[in-house]
Short mmCIF file of all heavy atoms in Angstrom, two decimals:
data_model
loop_
_atom_site.label_atom_id
_atom_site.label_comp_id
_atom_site.label_asym_id
_atom_site.label_seq_id
_atom_site.Cartn_x
_atom_site.Cartn_y
_atom_site.Cartn_z
N GLU A 1544 -9.31 30.52 0.68
CA GLU A 1544 -10.71 30.18 0.96
C GLU A 1544 -10.82 28.65 0.86
O GLU A 1544 -10.06 28.04 0.11
CB GLU A 1544 -11.63 30.72 -0.13
CG GLU A 1544 -11.45 32.17 -0.45
CD GLU A 1544 -12.53 33.02 0.19
OE1 GLU A 1544 -13.40 32.45 0.89
OE2 GLU A 1544 -12.48 34.23 -0.01
N PRO A 1545 -11.79 28.06 1.54
CA PRO A 1545 -12.01 26.63 1.31
C PRO A 1545 -12.24 26.41 -0.19
O PRO A 1545 -13.02 27.14 -0.81
CB PRO A 1545 -13.27 26.32 2.11
CG PRO A 1545 -13.42 27.44 3.09
CD PRO A 1545 -12.78 28.64 2.46
N ILE A 1546 -11.55 25.44 -0.77
CA ILE A 1546 -11.58 25.33 -2.23
C ILE A 1546 -12.90 24.73 -2.70
O ILE A 1546 -13.42 23.79 -2.10
CB ILE A 1546 -10.34 24.55 -2.73
CG1 ILE A 1546 -10.14 24.76 -4.22
CG2 ILE A 1546 -10.41 23.09 -2.39
CD1 ILE A 1546 -8.70 24.63 -4.65
N ARG A 1547 -13.45 25.31 -3.75
CA ARG A 1547 -14.74 24.84 -4.29
C ARG A 1547 -14.59 24.35 -5.72
O ARG A 1547 -15.60 24.00 -6.35
CB ARG A 1547 -15.77 25.99 -4.24
CG ARG A 1547 -16.13 26.41 -2.84
CD ARG A 1547 -17.05 25.39 -2.17
NE ARG A 1547 -17.31 25.74 -0.78
CZ ARG A 1547 -16.68 25.18 0.26
NH1 ARG A 1547 -15.75 24.25 0.07
NH2 ARG A 1547 -16.95 25.55 1.48
N THR A 1548 -13.37 24.38 -6.23
CA THR A 1548 -13.12 23.96 -7.62
C THR A 1548 -12.11 22.83 -7.59
O THR A 1548 -11.06 22.97 -6.96
CB THR A 1548 -12.56 25.14 -8.44
OG1 THR A 1548 -13.44 26.24 -8.30
CG2 THR A 1548 -12.41 24.76 -9.91
N VAL A 1549 -12.45 21.74 -8.24
CA VAL A 1549 -11.58 20.57 -8.20
C VAL A 1549 -11.31 20.11 -9.63
O VAL A 1549 -12.21 20.10 -10.46
CB VAL A 1549 -12.25 19.44 -7.38
CG1 VAL A 1549 -11.51 18.13 -7.55
CG2 VAL A 1549 -12.33 19.83 -5.92
N VAL A 1550 -10.06 19.75 -9.91
CA VAL A 1550 -9.73 19.16 -11.21
C VAL A 1550 -9.76 17.65 -11.04
O VAL A 1550 -9.01 17.09 -10.23
CB VAL A 1550 -8.35 19.63 -11.69
CG1 VAL A 1550 -8.02 18.99 -13.04
CG2 VAL A 1550 -8.30 21.14 -11.79
N HIS A 1551 -10.63 17.02 -11.80
CA HIS A 1551 -10.81 15.56 -11.68
C HIS A 1551 -10.54 14.92 -13.04
O HIS A 1551 -11.16 15.30 -14.03
CB HIS A 1551 -12.24 15.26 -11.21
CG HIS A 1551 -12.57 13.80 -11.22
ND1 HIS A 1551 -12.08 12.93 -10.28
CD2 HIS A 1551 -13.31 13.06 -12.08
CE1 HIS A 1551 -12.53 11.71 -10.54
NE2 HIS A 1551 -13.27 11.75 -11.63
N VAL A 1552 -9.62 14.00 -13.09
CA VAL A 1552 -9.32 13.29 -14.33
C VAL A 1552 -10.04 11.94 -14.28
O VAL A 1552 -9.74 11.11 -13.42
CB VAL A 1552 -7.80 13.10 -14.51
CG1 VAL A 1552 -7.49 12.37 -15.80
CG2 VAL A 1552 -7.09 14.45 -14.48
N GLU A 1553 -10.98 11.77 -15.19
CA GLU A 1553 -11.76 10.53 -15.22
C GLU A 1553 -10.88 9.32 -15.56
O GLU A 1553 -9.86 9.47 -16.24
CB GLU A 1553 -12.85 10.60 -16.31
CG GLU A 1553 -13.85 11.72 -16.12
CD GLU A 1553 -14.99 11.33 -15.20
OE1 GLU A 1553 -14.95 10.23 -14.61
OE2 GLU A 1553 -15.93 12.14 -15.07
N GLU A 1554 -11.31 8.17 -15.15
CA GLU A 1554 -10.72 6.86 -15.50
C GLU A 1554 -9.31 6.67 -14.97
O GLU A 1554 -9.05 5.74 -14.22
CB GLU A 1554 -10.75 6.61 -17.01
CG GLU A 1554 -12.16 6.39 -17.51
CD GLU A 1554 -12.26 6.09 -18.99
OE1 GLU A 1554 -11.21 5.84 -19.63
OE2 GLU A 1554 -13.39 6.11 -19.51
N LEU A 1555 -8.37 7.56 -15.35
CA LEU A 1555 -6.99 7.37 -14.92
C LEU A 1555 -6.85 7.47 -13.40
O LEU A 1555 -5.89 6.96 -12.82
CB LEU A 1555 -6.08 8.40 -15.58
CG LEU A 1555 -5.82 8.19 -17.06
CD1 LEU A 1555 -5.50 9.50 -17.75
CD2 LEU A 1555 -4.68 7.21 -17.27
N SER A 1556 -7.79 8.17 -12.76
CA SER A 1556 -7.69 8.35 -11.31
C SER A 1556 -8.36 7.20 -10.54
O SER A 1556 -8.31 7.15 -9.32
CB SER A 1556 -8.32 9.69 -10.91
OG SER A 1556 -9.68 9.72 -11.28
N VAL A 1557 -8.98 6.29 -11.30
CA VAL A 1557 -9.69 5.17 -10.68
C VAL A 1557 -8.76 3.95 -10.68
O VAL A 1557 -8.03 3.73 -11.64
CB VAL A 1557 -10.98 4.85 -11.47
CG1 VAL A 1557 -11.69 3.64 -10.88
CG2 VAL A 1557 -11.89 6.06 -11.48
N GLY A 1558 -8.79 3.17 -9.64
CA GLY A 1558 -7.96 1.97 -9.57
C GLY A 1558 -6.55 2.29 -9.11
O GLY A 1558 -6.18 3.45 -8.91
N LEU A 1559 -5.75 1.24 -8.93
CA LEU A 1559 -4.38 1.36 -8.42
C LEU A 1559 -4.40 2.23 -7.14
O LEU A 1559 -5.09 1.90 -6.20
CB LEU A 1559 -3.45 1.92 -9.50
CG LEU A 1559 -3.42 1.10 -10.81
CD1 LEU A 1559 -2.61 1.84 -11.88
CD2 LEU A 1559 -2.84 -0.28 -10.59
N GLU A 1560 -3.66 3.34 -7.13
CA GLU A 1560 -3.66 4.20 -5.93
C GLU A 1560 -5.05 4.76 -5.62
O GLU A 1560 -5.40 5.00 -4.47
CB GLU A 1560 -2.69 5.37 -6.12
CG GLU A 1560 -1.25 4.96 -6.11
CD GLU A 1560 -0.90 4.25 -4.82
OE1 GLU A 1560 -0.77 4.90 -3.78
OE2 GLU A 1560 -0.77 3.00 -4.85
N GLY A 1561 -5.84 4.98 -6.69
CA GLY A 1561 -7.17 5.55 -6.51
C GLY A 1561 -8.13 4.62 -5.78
O GLY A 1561 -9.12 5.06 -5.21
N ALA A 1562 -7.83 3.31 -5.80
CA ALA A 1562 -8.73 2.36 -5.16
C ALA A 1562 -8.72 2.52 -3.64
O ALA A 1562 -9.78 2.57 -3.00
CB ALA A 1562 -8.35 0.93 -5.55
N SER A 1563 -7.52 2.62 -3.07
CA SER A 1563 -7.46 2.75 -1.61
C SER A 1563 -7.42 4.21 -1.18
O SER A 1563 -7.59 4.51 0.01
CB SER A 1563 -6.22 2.03 -1.07
OG SER A 1563 -5.05 2.63 -1.58
N ARG A 1564 -7.18 5.13 -2.14
CA ARG A 1564 -7.09 6.55 -1.79
C ARG A 1564 -8.04 7.33 -2.72
O ARG A 1564 -7.58 8.07 -3.61
CB ARG A 1564 -5.64 7.03 -1.95
CG ARG A 1564 -4.63 6.14 -1.24
CD ARG A 1564 -3.20 6.67 -1.39
NE ARG A 1564 -2.98 7.86 -0.59
CZ ARG A 1564 -1.89 8.63 -0.68
NH1 ARG A 1564 -0.94 8.34 -1.54
NH2 ARG A 1564 -1.77 9.70 0.08
N PRO A 1565 -9.35 7.18 -2.52
CA PRO A 1565 -10.30 7.69 -3.51
C PRO A 1565 -10.28 9.21 -3.71
O PRO A 1565 -10.69 9.68 -4.77
CB PRO A 1565 -11.66 7.22 -2.98
CG PRO A 1565 -11.43 6.80 -1.58
CD PRO A 1565 -9.99 6.46 -1.42
N THR A 1566 -9.81 9.97 -2.74
CA THR A 1566 -9.79 11.43 -2.92
C THR A 1566 -8.40 11.96 -3.28
O THR A 1566 -8.22 13.15 -3.54
CB THR A 1566 -10.24 12.14 -1.62
OG1 THR A 1566 -9.36 11.73 -0.55
CG2 THR A 1566 -11.67 11.77 -1.26
N HIS A 1567 -7.42 11.05 -3.29
CA HIS A 1567 -6.03 11.48 -3.44
C HIS A 1567 -5.76 12.22 -4.74
O HIS A 1567 -5.21 13.33 -4.74
CB HIS A 1567 -5.14 10.23 -3.34
CG HIS A 1567 -3.69 10.47 -3.64
ND1 HIS A 1567 -2.90 11.26 -2.83
CD2 HIS A 1567 -2.90 10.05 -4.64
CE1 HIS A 1567 -1.68 11.30 -3.34
NE2 HIS A 1567 -1.65 10.58 -4.43
N PHE A 1568 -6.16 11.64 -5.86
CA PHE A 1568 -5.74 12.23 -7.13
C PHE A 1568 -6.46 13.53 -7.46
O PHE A 1568 -5.89 14.38 -8.14
CB PHE A 1568 -5.86 11.22 -8.26
CG PHE A 1568 -4.75 10.21 -8.26
CD1 PHE A 1568 -5.02 8.85 -8.18
CD2 PHE A 1568 -3.42 10.62 -8.29
CE1 PHE A 1568 -4.00 7.93 -8.17
CE2 PHE A 1568 -2.39 9.70 -8.27
CZ PHE A 1568 -2.67 8.35 -8.22
N ASP A 1569 -7.69 13.70 -6.98
CA ASP A 1569 -8.31 15.01 -7.17
C ASP A 1569 -7.49 16.08 -6.45
O ASP A 1569 -7.32 17.20 -6.95
CB ASP A 1569 -9.75 15.02 -6.63
CG ASP A 1569 -10.72 14.32 -7.57
OD1 ASP A 1569 -10.29 13.82 -8.63
OD2 ASP A 1569 -11.92 14.29 -7.24
N GLY A 1570 -6.97 15.72 -5.29
CA GLY A 1570 -6.12 16.66 -4.56
C GLY A 1570 -4.84 16.96 -5.32
O GLY A 1570 -4.39 18.10 -5.39
N VAL A 1571 -4.26 15.91 -5.91
CA VAL A 1571 -3.01 16.09 -6.67
C VAL A 1571 -3.25 16.95 -7.91
O VAL A 1571 -2.54 17.94 -8.14
CB VAL A 1571 -2.43 14.71 -7.09
CG1 VAL A 1571 -1.27 14.90 -8.06
CG2 VAL A 1571 -1.97 13.92 -5.86
N THR A 1572 -4.23 16.59 -8.72
CA THR A 1572 -4.42 17.33 -9.98
C THR A 1572 -4.85 18.76 -9.69
O THR A 1572 -4.47 19.69 -10.40
CB THR A 1572 -5.41 16.61 -10.92
OG1 THR A 1572 -6.51 16.09 -10.18
CG2 THR A 1572 -4.73 15.49 -11.66
N THR A 1573 -5.61 18.96 -8.62
CA THR A 1573 -6.03 20.32 -8.29
C THR A 1573 -4.83 21.17 -7.88
O THR A 1573 -4.65 22.29 -8.36
CB THR A 1573 -7.10 20.30 -7.18
OG1 THR A 1573 -8.22 19.54 -7.66
CG2 THR A 1573 -7.56 21.71 -6.83
N VAL A 1574 -3.96 20.63 -7.04
CA VAL A 1574 -2.82 21.45 -6.62
C VAL A 1574 -1.82 21.63 -7.76
O VAL A 1574 -1.23 22.72 -7.91
CB VAL A 1574 -2.13 20.89 -5.34
CG1 VAL A 1574 -1.19 19.73 -5.66
CG2 VAL A 1574 -1.37 21.99 -4.63
N VAL A 1575 -1.64 20.61 -8.58
CA VAL A 1575 -0.70 20.76 -9.70
C VAL A 1575 -1.24 21.78 -10.71
O VAL A 1575 -0.49 22.62 -11.22
CB VAL A 1575 -0.38 19.40 -10.37
CG1 VAL A 1575 0.44 19.59 -11.64
CG2 VAL A 1575 0.38 18.50 -9.39
N ALA A 1576 -2.55 21.76 -10.94
CA ALA A 1576 -3.16 22.77 -11.81
C ALA A 1576 -2.93 24.17 -11.23
O ALA A 1576 -2.60 25.11 -11.96
CB ALA A 1576 -4.65 22.50 -11.99
N LYS A 1577 -3.09 24.30 -9.93
CA LYS A 1577 -2.84 25.61 -9.29
C LYS A 1577 -1.38 26.02 -9.45
O LYS A 1577 -1.08 27.17 -9.78
CB LYS A 1577 -3.16 25.52 -7.78
CG LYS A 1577 -4.57 25.92 -7.42
CD LYS A 1577 -4.80 25.79 -5.92
CE LYS A 1577 -4.37 27.02 -5.14
NZ LYS A 1577 -5.39 28.07 -5.10
N LEU A 1578 -0.48 25.09 -9.22
CA LEU A 1578 0.95 25.42 -9.34
C LEU A 1578 1.29 25.83 -10.78
O LEU A 1578 2.07 26.76 -10.99
CB LEU A 1578 1.82 24.24 -8.89
CG LEU A 1578 1.75 23.93 -7.40
CD1 LEU A 1578 2.45 22.60 -7.10
CD2 LEU A 1578 2.38 25.05 -6.56
N PHE A 1579 0.69 25.15 -11.75
CA PHE A 1579 0.93 25.54 -13.15
C PHE A 1579 0.36 26.94 -13.43
O PHE A 1579 0.97 27.74 -14.14
CB PHE A 1579 0.28 24.52 -14.10
CG PHE A 1579 0.99 23.19 -14.21
CD1 PHE A 1579 0.36 22.11 -14.81
CD2 PHE A 1579 2.28 23.01 -13.73
CE1 PHE A 1579 1.00 20.88 -14.93
CE2 PHE A 1579 2.93 21.78 -13.84
CZ PHE A 1579 2.28 20.72 -14.44
N GLN A 1580 -0.81 27.23 -12.88
CA GLN A 1580 -1.39 28.57 -13.05
C GLN A 1580 -0.50 29.64 -12.43
O GLN A 1580 -0.31 30.72 -13.01
CB GLN A 1580 -2.77 28.64 -12.38
CG GLN A 1580 -3.86 27.90 -13.08
CD GLN A 1580 -4.16 28.53 -14.43
OE1 GLN A 1580 -4.04 27.89 -15.46
NE2 GLN A 1580 -4.55 29.79 -14.43
N ILE A 1581 0.00 29.33 -11.24
CA ILE A 1581 0.84 30.30 -10.53
C ILE A 1581 2.16 30.50 -11.28
O ILE A 1581 2.63 31.63 -11.43
CB ILE A 1581 1.09 29.82 -9.07
CG1 ILE A 1581 -0.22 29.85 -8.27
CG2 ILE A 1581 2.17 30.66 -8.39
CD1 ILE A 1581 -0.16 29.10 -6.95
N ALA A 1582 2.74 29.41 -11.75
CA ALA A 1582 4.07 29.50 -12.38
C ALA A 1582 3.97 30.07 -13.79
O ALA A 1582 4.89 30.76 -14.24
CB ALA A 1582 4.72 28.12 -12.43
N GLY A 1583 2.89 29.79 -14.50
CA GLY A 1583 2.81 30.23 -15.90
C GLY A 1583 3.50 29.23 -16.82
O GLY A 1583 3.96 28.17 -16.38
N PRO A 1584 3.57 29.56 -18.13
CA PRO A 1584 4.10 28.59 -19.09
C PRO A 1584 5.48 28.08 -18.69
O PRO A 1584 6.37 28.86 -18.35
CB PRO A 1584 4.16 29.41 -20.39
CG PRO A 1584 3.12 30.46 -20.21
CD PRO A 1584 3.12 30.80 -18.75
N CYS A 1585 5.64 26.77 -18.71
CA CYS A 1585 6.89 26.19 -18.21
C CYS A 1585 6.99 24.73 -18.63
O CYS A 1585 6.08 24.18 -19.24
CB CYS A 1585 6.92 26.26 -16.68
SG CYS A 1585 5.60 25.35 -15.87
N ARG A 1586 8.14 24.15 -18.29
CA ARG A 1586 8.25 22.69 -18.31
C ARG A 1586 8.07 22.20 -16.88
O ARG A 1586 8.68 22.73 -15.96
CB ARG A 1586 9.63 22.28 -18.79
CG ARG A 1586 9.80 22.41 -20.28
CD ARG A 1586 11.08 21.75 -20.71
NE ARG A 1586 11.21 21.83 -22.15
CZ ARG A 1586 12.33 21.56 -22.81
NH1 ARG A 1586 13.41 21.18 -22.15
NH2 ARG A 1586 12.37 21.64 -24.10
N GLY A 1587 7.27 21.15 -16.72
CA GLY A 1587 7.05 20.60 -15.39
C GLY A 1587 7.69 19.23 -15.29
O GLY A 1587 7.50 18.39 -16.18
N TYR A 1588 8.44 19.00 -14.23
CA TYR A 1588 9.21 17.75 -14.06
C TYR A 1588 8.57 16.86 -13.00
O TYR A 1588 8.36 17.31 -11.87
CB TYR A 1588 10.66 18.10 -13.71
CG TYR A 1588 11.35 18.77 -14.88
CD1 TYR A 1588 11.17 20.13 -15.11
CD2 TYR A 1588 12.08 18.03 -15.79
CE1 TYR A 1588 11.74 20.74 -16.22
CE2 TYR A 1588 12.66 18.63 -16.90
CZ TYR A 1588 12.48 19.99 -17.11
OH TYR A 1588 13.03 20.60 -18.21
#
Side-chain angles (χ1 to χ4, degrees):
E1544 309 258 1
I1546 196 152
R1547 294 286 175 260
T1548 307
V1549 169
V1550 179
H1551 173 74
V1552 180
E1553 299 275 7
E1554 290 182 11
L1555 288 154
S1556 60
V1557 177
L1559 303 173
E1560 290 303 285
S1563 63
R1564 309 182 73 190
T1566 58
H1567 173 66
F1568 283 123
D1569 283 1
V1571 170
T1572 40
T1573 300
V1574 80
V1575 172
K1577 267 179 86 84
L1578 292 170
F1579 286 166
Q1580 287 294 120
I1581 293 166
C1585 61
R1586 283 190 178 168
Y1588 293 82

